């Protein structure tokens, strides 16, 4: 068992527990402290785990959203809030979110808003949610065509990470989690070396279960330092400006797959601006190994237009990227929309010609 505690500058505390048998042991034990709990999940996860969760938690209301990023909307958020209100949830009660990144983000926001904030317990069931989205208190829904436009920072009271959930994930979900794990590798030399040395095991469940705690520890350290993304936490946006633009425009792949593509592209952008080209090529290869094949990329002009809308930007037609520079090093790079468009065109042609 590994436990990490985050106490933020606002004195919010979050305890992240990585261990086996979460549903049978840790969760029921923790829930004894609450008068009433409410469960939030999605239909896919509930089909697999609903019976076990019910057995573990006992009497509790439940709301299941439709699975998928397309449903990370204000409508889903308010449907959940209505269900919580109908169940008579009180300020001292607790919302338990069981699922992947979308469930965690929507549920975290509902818990933050309901009666101005009730306790939230995250039980992440996907690799991506375990290593990234469940940790650190970012909550949001997409709005007006912009990802995560409406949300708050609010730390979950507990995050329970159990490797057993990885066993039921489809291969594509593993690939998505690898997007955020390789992003951590771009920021942490230790994680990068582990990934490179185990390149042939990237989808091996035992290997992944082993590296989840190191990824949680890395993210917890960043959040402890800068929970509200004033400075250091911006490193976690590495590859994400391009990923979010492609995701909004194209939408055929999942967030983590776009992070792999975004990291690859932003590594190329950095290499042409003085970054360590040999290292950045290794990072790009790691992304391509996880991705399998590079899909057709969206139109560069459209991608630049959408990237300008990203909330990470300063406005005025400039695009801010967190790019990898050298092993364990990153920087914020600001490009004009036209320059970014030219880079996407150039790199798109290069990546396609590099394919076997
Ligand atoms: N997923 C990036 C962050 O939590 O800051």
């Amino acid at each position: 068992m590994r436990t990490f505690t985050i106490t933020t500058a606002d004195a919010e505390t979050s305890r992240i527990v990585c261990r086996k048998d979460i549903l049978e042991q840790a969760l029921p034990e923790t829930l004894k402290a609450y008068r009433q709990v409410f469960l939030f999940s999605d239909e896919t996860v509930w089909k697999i785990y609903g019976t076990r969760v019910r057995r573990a938690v006992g009497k509790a209301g439940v709301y299941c959203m439709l699975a998928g990023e397309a449903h990370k909307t204000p409508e889903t958020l308010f449907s959940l809030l209505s269900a919580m209100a109908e169940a008579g949830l009180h300020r001292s009660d607790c919302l338990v979110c069981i699922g992947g990144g979308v469930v965690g983000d929507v549920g975290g926001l509902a818990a933050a808003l309901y009666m101005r904030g009730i306790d939230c317990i995250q039980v992440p069931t996907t690799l991506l949610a375990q290593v990234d989205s469940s940790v650190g208190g970012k909550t949001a829904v997409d709005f007006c065509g912009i990802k995560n436009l409406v949300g708050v920072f609010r730390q979950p009271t507990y995050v329970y990470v159990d490797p057993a959930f990885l066993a039921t994930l489809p291969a594509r979900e593993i690939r998505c989690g690898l997007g955020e794990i390789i992003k951590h590798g771009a920021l942490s030399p230790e994680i990068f070396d582990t990934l490179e040395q185990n390149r042939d095991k990237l989808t091996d469940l035992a290997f992944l279960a082993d590296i989840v705690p190191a990824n949680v520890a890395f993210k917890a350290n960043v959040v402890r330092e800068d929970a509200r993304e004033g400075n250091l936490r911006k490193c976690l946006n590495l590859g994400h400006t391009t990923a979010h633009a492609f995701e909004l425009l194209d939408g055929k792949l999942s967030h983590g797959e776009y992070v792999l593509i975004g990291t690859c592209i932003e590594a190329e952008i950095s290499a042409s601006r003085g970054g360590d080209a040999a290292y950045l090529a290794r990072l790009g290869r790691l992304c391509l190994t996880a991705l399998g094949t590079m899909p057709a990329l969206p139109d560069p002009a459209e991608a630049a237009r959408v990237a300008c809308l990203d909330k990470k930007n300063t406005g005025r037609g400039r695009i801010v990227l967190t790019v990898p520079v050298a092993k364990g090093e990153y920087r914020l790079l600001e490009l004009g929309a036209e320059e970014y468009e030219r880079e996407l065109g150039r790199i798109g042609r290069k990546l396609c010609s590099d394919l076997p």
Side-chain angles (χ1 to χ4, degrees):
M1 175 162 99
R2 301 277 308 274
T3 303
F4 309 93
T5 303
I6 298 173
T7 301
T8 68
D10 303 325
E12 279 190 301
T13 296
S14 184
R15 188 172 293 261
I16 304 138
V17 181
C18 301
R19 57 164 286 177
K20 288 187 190 152
D21 300 326
I22 290 292
L23 287 183
E24 285 69 28
Q25 292 176 21
L27 186 64
E29 197 51 44
T30 301
L31 292 180
K32 282 183 190 158
Y34 296 94
R35 187 192 62 106
Q36 193 181 348
V37 299
F38 194 85
L39 306 168
F40 177 49
S41 189
D42 73 31
E43 290 186 346
T44 307
V45 171
W46 197 251
K47 253 187 221 133
I48 305 173
Y49 293 108
T51 309
R52 266 178 70 198
V53 173
R54 278 229 172 275
R55 204 178 302 131
V57 171
K59 195 167 159 299
V62 55
Y63 181 80
C64 283
M65 64 176 286
L66 295 172
E69 180 76 31
H71 304 287
K72 190 175 163 181
T73 58
E75 290 73 24
T76 305
L77 171 70
F78 278 92
S79 300
L80 168 59
L81 287 167
S82 299
M84 289 159 70
E86 275 161 29
L89 216 60
H90 190 264
R91 181 173 272 165
S92 57
D93 295 333
C94 167
L95 181 69
V96 183
C97 306
I98 304 146
V102 173
V103 164
D105 282 11
V106 177
L109 182 55
L113 294 175
Y114 190 81
M115 294 194 174
R116 300 197 179 90
I118 63 170
D119 280 5
C120 180
I121 297 180
Q122 296 281 357
V123 183
T125 57
T126 63
L127 181 60
L128 185 146
Q130 293 195 347
V131 295
D132 181 35
S133 60
S134 67
V135 177
K138 273 192 179 176
T139 74
V141 291
D142 301 340
F143 190 53
C144 289
I146 302 178
K147 273 185 64 66
N148 300 326
L149 186 68
V150 176
V152 298
F153 288 102
R154 189 161 184 277
Q155 298 300 323
T157 314
Y158 289 95
V159 183
Y160 284 124
V161 177
D162 187 337
F165 287 115
L166 303 183
T168 54
L169 292 179
R172 184 146 179 220
E173 274 297 339
I174 298 290
R175 194 151 66 229
C176 289
L178 284 171
E180 301 294 354
I181 289 174
I182 293 176
K183 176 192 81 178
H184 288 163
L187 299 164
S188 150
E190 295 75 28
I191 295 178
F192 184 81
D193 288 343
T194 305
L195 293 173
E196 260 204 337
Q197 284 154 16
N198 294 279
R199 172 192 294 278
D200 55 332
K201 294 202 198 114
L202 288 184
T203 56
D204 178 317
L205 291 188
F207 169 68
L208 292 169
D210 264 6
I211 63 169
V212 164
N215 278 269
V216 170
F218 175 79
K219 175 140 190 200
N221 280 339
V222 173
V223 174
R224 220 175 267 132
E225 191 87 4
D226 175 25
R228 288 183 175 257
E229 204 172 297
N231 197 356
L232 177 68
R233 190 166 178 172
K234 289 186 178 148
C235 74
L236 299 177
N237 292 330
L238 189 141
H240 277 58
T241 302
T242 304
H244 282 162
F246 285 8
E247 192 172 349
L248 274 170
L249 266 179
D250 183 48
K252 293 188 197 78
L253 304 181
S254 298
H255 175 71
E257 294 170 302
Y258 287 114
V259 171
L260 290 167
I261 297 169
T263 302
C264 216
I265 288 179
E266 294 183 13
E268 289 277 352
I269 292 178
S270 177
S272 67
R273 281 164 179 73
D276 176 344
Y279 158 77
L280 291 166
R282 282 160 63 197
L283 177 62
R285 274 197 295 279
L286 212 45
C287 293
L288 286 175
T289 304
L291 201 55
T293 55
M294 180 60 78
L297 301 178
D299 175 60
E302 277 296 287
R305 183 185 62 75
V306 172
C308 280
L309 302 174
D310 195 298
K311 64 185 179 328
K312 294 189 283 302
N313 295 330
T314 52
R316 301 182 304 278
R318 309 284 295 170
I319 295 166
V320 180
L321 310 168
T322 302
V323 298
V325 174
K327 198 169 183 185
E329 288 176 30
Y330 70 96
R331 73 167 164 132
L332 300 189
L333 176 68
E334 198 173 313
L335 297 182
E338 282 177 11
E339 196 180 0
Y340 180 64
E341 176 187 333
R342 268 197 309 278
E343 283 296 71
L344 290 185
R346 175 183 74 77
I347 294 163
R349 287 189 295 278
K350 177 173 187 285
L351 288 177
C352 291
S353 68
D354 281 355
L355 290 177

